[in-house]
Amino acid sequence: MGIVQSILCAAMLALAAAPPGEAPARVQDRARLFADCAGRFSAGVEFTWLMQRGDGARDQALRSGFEALIAAILPDARAAGLDGRALLHRRLAAKAAQARLLRDAEFGTDPRRAARARLLASRHRATCAAMLPG
Protein backbone atom coordinates (compact mmCIF):
# COMPACT_ATOMS: atom_id res chain seq x y z
CA MET A 1 0.00 0.00 0.00
CA GLY A 2 1.40 3.41 -0.96
CA ILE A 3 1.84 6.38 1.32
CA VAL A 4 -1.26 8.17 0.01
CA GLN A 5 -3.45 5.13 0.58
CA SER A 6 -2.01 4.62 4.07
CA ILE A 7 -2.66 8.25 4.96
CA LEU A 8 -6.21 8.14 3.61
CA CYS A 9 -7.00 4.92 5.46
CA ALA A 10 -5.64 6.26 8.73
CA ALA A 11 -7.45 9.55 8.27
CA MET A 12 -10.76 7.85 7.71
CA LEU A 13 -10.22 5.64 10.77
CA ALA A 14 -9.39 8.69 12.87
CA LEU A 15 -12.58 10.40 11.77
CA ALA A 16 -14.62 7.28 12.37
CA ALA A 17 -13.25 7.19 15.92
CA ALA A 18 -14.53 10.72 16.62
CA PRO A 19 -17.34 10.71 19.16
CA PRO A 20 -20.81 10.99 17.63
CA GLY A 21 -22.54 14.28 18.28
CA GLU A 22 -19.25 16.09 18.75
CA ALA A 23 -19.73 19.71 19.87
CA PRO A 24 -20.10 22.13 16.93
CA ALA A 25 -17.16 24.27 18.08
CA ARG A 26 -14.92 21.19 18.18
CA VAL A 27 -15.93 20.16 14.65
CA GLN A 28 -15.22 23.69 13.43
CA ASP A 29 -11.82 23.74 15.16
CA ARG A 30 -10.90 20.39 13.63
CA ALA A 31 -11.96 21.53 10.14
CA ARG A 32 -9.92 24.74 10.53
CA LEU A 33 -6.88 22.77 11.64
CA PHE A 34 -7.16 20.45 8.62
CA ALA A 35 -7.46 23.46 6.31
CA ASP A 36 -4.39 25.08 7.88
CA CYS A 37 -2.35 21.93 7.38
CA ALA A 38 -3.52 21.42 3.79
CA GLY A 39 -2.49 25.00 3.05
CA ARG A 40 0.93 24.61 4.66
CA PHE A 41 1.69 21.46 2.68
CA SER A 42 0.46 23.16 -0.52
CA ALA A 43 3.07 25.84 0.11
CA GLY A 44 5.70 23.15 0.63
CA VAL A 45 4.82 21.44 -2.65
CA GLU A 46 4.95 24.74 -4.52
CA PHE A 47 8.24 25.81 -2.90
CA THR A 48 9.86 22.45 -3.69
CA TRP A 49 8.78 22.77 -7.30
CA LEU A 50 9.92 26.40 -7.62
CA MET A 51 13.30 25.67 -6.05
CA GLN A 52 13.66 22.46 -8.11
CA ARG A 53 14.40 20.35 -5.04
CA GLY A 54 12.83 17.02 -5.82
CA ASP A 55 9.25 16.20 -6.56
CA GLY A 56 7.65 17.07 -3.21
CA ALA A 57 5.94 13.66 -3.11
CA ARG A 58 5.81 13.55 0.69
CA ASP A 59 4.21 16.98 0.95
CA GLN A 60 1.80 16.06 -1.84
CA ALA A 61 0.79 12.91 0.02
CA LEU A 62 0.31 14.78 3.28
CA ARG A 63 -1.68 17.51 1.53
CA SER A 64 -3.89 14.79 0.00
CA GLY A 65 -4.44 13.30 3.44
CA PHE A 66 -5.62 16.62 4.82
CA GLU A 67 -7.80 17.20 1.76
CA ALA A 68 -9.45 13.85 2.49
CA LEU A 69 -9.98 14.88 6.11
CA ILE A 70 -11.53 18.17 5.02
CA ALA A 71 -13.87 16.36 2.63
CA ALA A 72 -14.87 13.92 5.36
CA ILE A 73 -15.56 16.53 8.01
CA LEU A 74 -17.06 19.22 5.76
CA PRO A 75 -20.71 18.10 6.10
CA ASP A 76 -20.46 18.19 9.90
CA ALA A 77 -18.57 21.50 9.81
CA ARG A 78 -21.27 23.02 7.59
CA ALA A 79 -23.95 21.72 9.93
CA ALA A 80 -22.03 23.37 12.78
CA GLY A 81 -22.12 26.69 10.92
CA LEU A 82 -18.75 26.74 9.18
CA ASP A 83 -18.92 27.82 5.55
CA GLY A 84 -16.83 25.96 2.97
CA ARG A 85 -15.60 29.31 1.64
CA ALA A 86 -14.29 30.18 5.09
CA LEU A 87 -12.29 26.95 5.09
CA LEU A 88 -10.88 27.71 1.65
CA HIS A 89 -9.91 31.20 2.82
CA ARG A 90 -8.23 29.70 5.87
CA ARG A 91 -6.34 27.20 3.71
CA LEU A 92 -5.12 29.96 1.38
CA ALA A 93 -4.06 32.15 4.31
CA ALA A 94 -2.06 29.26 5.83
CA LYS A 95 -0.45 28.60 2.44
CA ALA A 96 0.56 32.26 2.14
CA ALA A 97 1.94 32.31 5.71
CA GLN A 98 3.98 29.15 5.15
CA ALA A 99 5.24 30.45 1.79
CA ARG A 100 6.45 33.65 3.52
CA LEU A 101 8.29 31.60 6.13
CA LEU A 102 9.91 29.42 3.48
CA ARG A 103 10.89 32.47 1.43
CA ASP A 104 12.34 34.27 4.46
CA ALA A 105 14.23 31.14 5.53
CA GLU A 106 15.74 30.72 2.07
CA PHE A 107 16.35 34.29 0.98
CA GLY A 108 16.34 36.36 4.17
CA THR A 109 19.28 38.69 4.61
CA ASP A 110 19.04 38.83 8.41
CA PRO A 111 20.50 35.53 9.70
CA ARG A 112 18.45 35.58 12.93
CA ARG A 113 15.21 36.24 11.09
CA ALA A 114 16.02 33.54 8.51
CA ALA A 115 16.76 31.04 11.28
CA ARG A 116 13.50 31.92 13.04
CA ALA A 117 11.53 31.52 9.81
CA ARG A 118 13.20 28.14 9.18
CA LEU A 119 12.33 27.01 12.71
CA LEU A 120 8.71 28.15 12.49
CA ALA A 121 8.18 26.60 9.05
CA SER A 122 9.65 23.35 10.31
CA ARG A 123 7.53 23.35 13.47
CA HIS A 124 4.29 24.02 11.58
CA ARG A 125 5.10 21.23 9.15
CA ALA A 126 6.02 18.78 11.93
CA THR A 127 2.88 19.56 13.92
CA CYS A 128 0.70 18.83 10.92
CA ALA A 129 2.70 15.78 9.78
CA ALA A 130 2.39 14.24 13.27
CA MET A 131 -1.38 14.03 12.80
CA LEU A 132 -1.08 11.60 9.89
CA PRO A 133 0.83 8.33 9.68
CA GLY A 134 3.76 7.84 7.39
Side-chain angles (χ1 to χ4, degrees):
M1 184 181 301
I3 188 168
V4 173
Q5 291 85 7
S6 296
I7 289 172
L8 292 176
C9 287
M12 298 314 278
L13 287 173
L15 280 175
E22 184 175 28
R26 185 140 160 80
V27 170
Q28 289 178 354
D29 289 344
R30 191 179 298 210
R32 288 182 186 113
L33 178 62
F34 297 160
D36 287 348
C37 290
R40 291 192 182 280
F41 286 116
S42 290
V45 169
E46 186 175 278
F47 191 78
T48 299
W49 179 80
L50 288 171
M51 299 302 294
Q52 299 181 357
R53 293 187 180 155
D55 62 2
R58 175 117 170 97
D59 280 356
Q60 287 178 20
L62 291 166
R63 179 186 62 194
S64 294
F66 282 105
E67 287 171 343
L69 288 172
I70 292 167
I73 202 169
L74 190 56
D76 291 337
R78 282 187 177 140
L82 187 61
D83 184 348
R85 289 186 303 172
L87 280 181
L88 179 59
H89 174 73
R90 182 130 183 161
R91 180 177 173 172
L92 292 173
K95 179 181 177 182
Q98 187 75 1
R100 274 190 305 276
L101 289 173
L102 293 170
R103 183 195 63 225
D104 290 350
E106 185 73 24
F107 302 110
T109 56
D110 178 354
R112 288 187 343 183
R113 187 173 175 163
R116 175 105 172 116
R118 197 170 11 268
L119 177 67
L120 287 174
S122 176
R123 281 187 182 169
H124 288 308
R125 187 184 187 292
T127 299
C128 289
M131 287 185 247
L132 295 176

